[in-house]
Amino acid sequence: MLARAASVHTVSSYTALEELATVAADLRLSDPTIESVVSYTEYSQLGATYISSMLGLISEPIRHIAARDKRLMKHFVSSAGVPTAPFRSVPDPSNLIEVRAIAAEINFPAVLKPAAGSGTEHTSKVHDVEELCEAAERFQSAPGLDSRKLILEEFIEGDEFHVDAAWDGESASFFLVSQYYVPRLATISDDAPGDPGVVDGSRVLSREDHTALYEELMTMNKAVNGALKIDRAVTHMEVFRTRDGKWVFSEIATRIGGAWIPQLLSQAIGQDIWAVAADSLLNGRIVVEPRPSAPHLAGVHLRPTKPGTITSLPSEADFAETPGMLDYRVIRAVGDNVQMESASEYCVFAVIGADTAEQLEDRVLTANRRLRVETASAPAVD
Ligand SMILES: Nc1ncnc2c1ncn2[C@@H]1O[C@H](COP(=O)(O)OP(=O)(O)OP(=O)(O)O)[C@@H](O)[C@H]1O
Ligand SMILES: [Mg+2]
C-alpha cells in the first residue's frame, strides 16, 4: 500500500505533536485539497484527529476525542438519549479522598478502567469502596501508561455483543452483530482464567434469525454515530443486553475490532475485511453483499489453562483435522511467556463454521478442548 502512496512521512510516535504538525504542514503544502485522514488503529486515532483538525477537515475535534475517551464518549452518547452505564470521571487515582467522594455518587459493583484504554487492560470490577481504592492505587503503579485519567462505571449485568460496520453517513456497507460467549472481563475473572469450558470468543448472529435485534442495534449505532459525528468510518461498537432485555451502549471505536474479529468479519462477508474497509473509507457508499463462508460462524481465542512458558501449540495438522476450521492465526511461539492477567494476552485465534447453530456450538467446544496451548510454570527460584 505504501508503495502506491504519493508520499510517505514517518513519525516516531502517534503522540509526537511537533512531528505530526510538520506532517500536516507537508500535506498542506503538497496538496491543499486533501479530503480526509484515515486511521486504522486504536492508538493512531488522536494523531489522526490532530492532523485532521490542523488541516481544517473536521468541525468538532472534541467529538473525535470522544471516540477514544470513554468519559466524553458516554457524556455525548447519553446526552443523545442512548442508555449507558452511569459513570463518573476519576481524574486523579492517587487522590484517594477524591476517589472516596466519587464512589459515594455511584452504585457498586462498578468497573474502574482507563479513560482511553483498550484491550480490557487495567480494568477491574470492584464491589465496594475499599476494593475501589485498592484498584486506584494499583493503577498508580501500572507501568507503560501515559494518561492516568480513569472512568468509574456502574457494572452492567448481562450479555455482551459487538457490532461491526462501515459507514458513509446513514448507509452501512456492511453491518454485523456478534455475541461474545462470555463478557470480555469475565474471561479473566478469578473463576474463569483459562477454564477450558469457558469459550473466549464470539459468534455472528444472522440477520435473518435476529431481525428485530438487528433493527434495534442499527438504530442505536446511528444515534451513537450522530452523537460523536462519526460519518465515513469503520466502527466496532460494544453493547450489553440486560437480563430484562434492555440494550445499554458500552463503547465504540472508529476502527476494525481487534483480536479474532478481523478474521471473523472476513469470513462473514466473504471478502478480506481490510480491503473492504479501505474501499469503503476511500470510495464511500459501496454495498457489500455478505457471502458468508458458512451459515453459522464463530471466532475464538485459544489460550492456556494456566500462566507460564508455552511448551506446545497446535500444529497445522491439528487445525486441519478440526471440524469446521476456516481460518486460524498463531500469535505466540514455544518459549513465550504468558501471564494471563489481561483479556488481550492473545495466543491463537481460530474461525469456525457450521451448518446449524447446534453444530457450531459443538465444533467450538471441540476446538477449545482439542487445540491446546500448553504451558509449564517456571521452576521456583530459591
Ligand atoms: N460498566 C460495565 N459493566 C459491565 N462490564 C463492563 C463495564 N465496563 C467494562 N466492562 C467489561 O470490561 C471490558 C473492557 O471494557 P471496555 O470495553 O470499556 O474497554 P476496552 O479496554 O477499551 O475494551 P476492548 O477490549 O474492546 O479494547 C468490557 O468488554 C466488559 O466486559
Ligand atoms: Mg471494549
Side-chain angles (χ1 to χ4, degrees):
M1 193 156 105
L2 290 184
R4 287 164 53 203
S7 64
V8 176
H9 308 264
T10 307
V11 291
S12 58
S13 142
Y14 292 130
T15 54
L17 214 54
E18 184 191 74
E19 291 177 63
L20 293 170
T22 50
V23 169
D26 267 321
L27 295 174
R28 178 66 180 73
L29 285 171
S30 60
D31 184 354
T33 62
I34 285 171
E35 277 175 34
S36 68
V37 174
V38 172
S39 153
Y40 262 174
T41 67
E42 183 71 16
Y43 289 110
S44 55
Q45 303 289 58
L46 293 178
T49 298
Y50 178 73
I51 294 184
S52 303
S53 21
M54 290 301 108
L55 293 173
L57 301 176
I58 46 177
S59 56
E60 283 187 82
I62 194 77
R63 304 262 172 183
H64 294 245
I65 293 175
R68 281 292 336 274
D69 188 307
K70 295 173 164 66
R71 301 166 302 170
L72 205 53
M73 183 189 298
K74 290 208 165 64
H75 166 75
F76 284 132
V77 168
S78 59
S79 305
V82 177
T84 68
F87 75 96
R88 288 288 180 275
S89 168
V90 182
D92 179 5
S94 70
N95 183 343
L96 291 185
I97 295 172
E98 189 181 71
V99 171
R100 284 177 186 278
I102 295 166
E105 298 172 359
I106 212 133
N107 293 315
F108 286 90
V111 175
L112 184 71
K113 60 192 175 183
S118 78
T120 321
E121 300 272 7
H122 308 288
T123 299
S124 313
K125 182 175 179 184
V126 289
H127 297 85
D128 54 39
V129 68
E130 296 314 321
E131 279 187 23
L132 171 64
C133 288
E134 273 168 39
E137 281 184 314
R138 223 176 20 248
F139 191 85
Q140 261 321 103
S141 58
L145 286 167
D146 291 334
S147 168
R148 305 258 149 192
K149 308 271 184 216
L150 307 186
I151 180 171
L152 180 66
E153 295 181 9
E154 290 187 10
F155 185 84
I156 306 292
E157 199 71 54
D159 298 323
E160 191 172 6
F161 296 72
H162 58 94
V163 182
D164 301 276
W167 300 95
D168 186 19
E170 289 270 297
S171 86
S173 60
F174 67 86
F175 184 85
L176 283 166
V177 180
S178 311
Q179 180 171 6
Y180 289 112
Y181 281 98
V182 283
R184 302 292 299 126
L185 192 54
T187 61
I188 48 158
S189 76
D190 289 345
D191 42 358
D195 180 343
V198 172
V199 178
D200 186 11
S202 58
R203 64 186 166 95
V204 178
L205 305 180
S206 76
R207 193 186 280 263
E208 297 71 49
D209 295 343
H210 300 89
T211 319
L213 173 150
Y214 263 77
E215 273 170 22
E216 286 162 12
L217 291 177
M218 174 71 95
T219 303
M220 179 192 276
N221 208 148
K222 284 184 183 173
V224 170
N225 290 355
L228 302 186
K229 298 273 183 282
I230 294 170
D231 183 37
R232 190 184 287 184
V234 179
T235 55
H236 169 70
M237 179 172 84
E238 294 180 326
V239 295
F240 299 107
R241 186 172 57 195
T242 61
R243 298 276 173 255
D244 52 2
K246 294 208 175 64
W247 292 110
V248 179
F249 168 82
S250 177
E251 66 157 348
I252 193 164
T254 45
R255 56 162 172 82
I256 295 175
W260 59 87
I261 292 171
Q263 286 169 278
L264 181 61
L265 296 179
S266 295
Q267 296 296 331
I269 60 178
Q271 293 178 56
D272 176 47
I273 188 66
W274 298 101
V276 169
D279 195 18
S280 114
L281 290 170
L282 291 175
N283 303 321
R285 209 151 295 207
I286 55 158
V287 175
V288 180
E289 219 28 83
R291 288 193 305 275
S293 315
H296 295 266
L297 290 163
V300 290
H301 169 219
L302 305 164
R303 56 197 185 142
T305 49
K306 57 178 179 12
T309 304
I310 296 181
T311 53
S312 90
L313 286 158
S315 66
E316 275 183 34
D318 294 333
F319 286 112
E321 284 162 17
T322 303
M325 185 61 58
L326 294 169
D327 190 18
Y328 63 88
R329 190 172 146 218
V330 180
I331 296 138
R332 300 294 183 131
V334 168
D336 285 357
N337 202 270
V338 190
Q339 293 176 354
M340 299 188 71
E341 278 169 7
S342 134
S344 52
E345 230 186 327
Y346 296 121
C347 295
V348 176
F349 298 138
V351 180
I352 295 157
D355 291 328
T356 64
E358 295 70 31
Q359 189 186 46
L360 182 70
E361 297 324 306
D362 200 47
R363 288 181 167 183
V364 163
L365 288 176
T366 305
N368 214 37
R369 210 175 42 243
R370 271 210 220 152
L371 299 171
R372 297 309 310 161
V373 177
E374 304 291 353
T375 50
S377 0
V381 181
D382 296 332

